[in-house]
Amino acid sequence: MQRNCLALRPLLRGAGELGAFGTSIRLFRNSAALNYAAAAPKQCTGKLPPKMAKLRKQFQADNDLPVFLKGGSMDNILYRLTWVLSILGIAGDVWLWVGFMIA
């Protein structure tokens, strides 16, 4: 039994080195795709541009507004317009179905 295992060892050593479609993994060992996950994330250095600092201050302000309304008056208009169009769409759908049921 021991002799059979030793005879198979060279065959087993090479079996794990084949990837998908029979390609050798040795070709890809030093590629950037495999080293990308192991690389440490880069840290940003320097200051933020003034516009980004202003936007960060505006959106992180503690003023009890949801984030989708912190953009200003245009966000408020778009929010209300979305509500109106949604309600009109639902009302039109109900009107259509009621018309089919009655007729």
Side-chain angles (χ1 to χ4, degrees), residues 3-62:
R3 194 175 316 157
N4 290 339
C5 289
L6 291 176
L8 292 175
R9 187 173 287 167
L11 296 174
L12 294 175
R13 191 176 303 134
E17 294 181 2
L18 289 180
F21 306 112
T23 58
S24 175
I25 291 179
R26 284 187 228 156
L27 296 174
F28 304 110
R29 284 228 170 117
N30 294 326
S31 70
L34 292 176
N35 293 332
Y36 178 76
K42 295 180 182 179
Q43 292 185 358
C44 295
T45 57
K47 298 175 84 176
L48 284 176
K51 185 175 182 179
M52 287 297 290
K54 181 184 147 211
L55 287 173
R56 177 188 277 182
K57 186 177 180 182
Q58 177 184 353
F59 280 93
Q60 290 182 350
D62 190 19

Side-chain angles (χ1 to χ4, degrees), residues 58-59 66-82:
Q58 177 184 353
F59 280 93
V67 73
F68 52 87
L69 292 178
K70 286 189 177 186
S73 62
M74 192 63 187
D75 279 352
N76 201 352
I77 291 169
L78 289 173
Y79 174 72
R80 293 180 190 277
L81 181 66
T82 302

